[in-house]
């Protein structure tokens, strides 16, 4: 139940990741290839209606692949 408290923050994180991915010109498929990550897992991270917590390791991998500092992905409005 405690995880539900952060549901909105993870949703916003997914939206920020999607923003930077699109800004860099990646499709979900091409970005997953770069990350060597399954599309089904990654698409859950970005899905607005899906609650998918990510580990710090995954967050760092995504940030590095997007060439953005990890804290920028966590800047929630």
């Amino acid at each position: 139940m405690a995880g539900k408290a952060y549901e909105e923050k993870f949703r916003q994180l997914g939206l920020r990741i999607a923003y930077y991915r699109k800004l860099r010109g990646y499709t979900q498929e091409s970005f997953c290839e770069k990350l060597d990550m399954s599309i089904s897992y990654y698409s859950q991270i970005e899905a607005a209606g899906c609650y998918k917590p990510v580990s710090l390791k995954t967050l760092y991998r995504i940030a590095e692949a997007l060439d953005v500092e990890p804290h920028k992905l966590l800047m929630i409005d």
Side-chain angles (χ1 to χ4, degrees):
M1 207 58 153
K4 287 288 189 180
Y6 299 105
E7 189 171 337
E8 178 60 18
K9 291 182 183 202
F10 279 110
R11 188 187 72 76
Q12 289 184 27
L13 172 63
L15 293 174
R16 291 196 61 85
I17 290 170
Y19 167 80
Y20 281 105
R21 175 184 57 77
K22 292 172 187 175
L23 190 66
R24 302 292 190 262
Y26 291 111
T27 63
Q28 282 190 347
E29 293 82 10
S30 65
F31 193 57
C32 287
E33 286 177 19
K34 181 177 179 72
L35 288 170
D36 192 29
M37 183 181 291
S38 79
I39 185 75
S40 62
Y41 175 75
Y42 181 79
S43 64
Q44 290 178 30
I45 294 171
E46 282 193 12
C50 191
Y51 171 61
K52 186 65 174 178
V54 297
S55 69
L56 279 176
K57 180 180 177 181
T58 299
L59 179 69
Y60 288 143
R61 286 180 61 213
I62 290 171
E64 184 177 315
L66 292 171
D67 193 30
V68 66
E69 292 296 319
H71 76 273
K72 289 193 174 188
L73 298 176
L74 295 170
M75 295 174 75
I76 307 300
D77 298 330

